Amino acid sequence: MGELEQAVLETLWDSAGPASGRQVHERLADRDLAYTTVMTVLDRLVAKDVVARERDGRAFRYAPRRSRAAMTADLMHEALQGTGADRDQALVSFVGEASADDLAALRRALADLT
């Protein structure tokens, strides 16, 4: 996913509920993007099935199909799938570079699974 697509998705995750294209554009005002650019990105995210679009009168509202946590987990799984025989080493490297907070969260998650 591109940087602009990620920024639009982050905006949707931070929204209280489905957001219109205009609302997304306004929340990205510091990027000085054209409204049509934001709408193009939203259309691409809909086509990729990352974002859901629902009609609201004459306009549409957009919402992420999956939570931030679920999409992050998907990315991590995809990355691990590509490591082949080095999967163990990739996990060791990841954990070796994790912050103390991340390690504590990982320990809690593993404890919850057992």
Side-chain angles (χ1 to χ4, degrees):
M1 188 174 315
E3 188 268 331
L4 187 52
E5 289 176 327
Q6 185 67 35
V8 168
L9 192 54
E10 292 285 340
T11 299
L12 292 172
W13 277 323
D14 293 340
S15 296
S20 69
R22 181 80 49 208
Q23 289 170 321
V24 173
H25 180 251
E26 288 170 1
R27 292 178 186 142
L28 294 170
D30 61 322
R31 292 175 165 262
D32 196 30
L33 298 169
Y35 173 75
T36 55
T37 300
V38 173
M39 293 308 298
T40 298
V41 172
L42 285 166
D43 286 342
R44 286 182 184 159
L45 290 172
V46 168
K48 291 179 178 183
D49 206 30
V50 174
V51 168
R53 174 173 51 202
E54 61 184 42
R55 185 161 289 283
D56 183 19
R58 292 180 44 205
F60 288 102
R61 292 202 165 275
Y62 300 87
R65 288 200 177 273
R66 307 203 56 209
S67 70
R68 183 180 283 139
M71 284 199 65
T72 300
D74 286 346
L75 290 171
M76 292 171 71
H77 286 290
E78 286 177 29
L80 285 173
Q81 293 300 324
T83 60
D86 295 332
R87 184 181 181 120
D88 289 352
Q89 185 56 42
L91 285 167
V92 168
S93 180
F94 172 76
V95 170
E97 295 177 20
S99 69
D101 288 343
D102 289 342
L103 290 173
L106 185 57
R107 283 186 188 100
R108 285 191 303 274
L110 289 171
D112 288 347
L113 292 173
T114 58

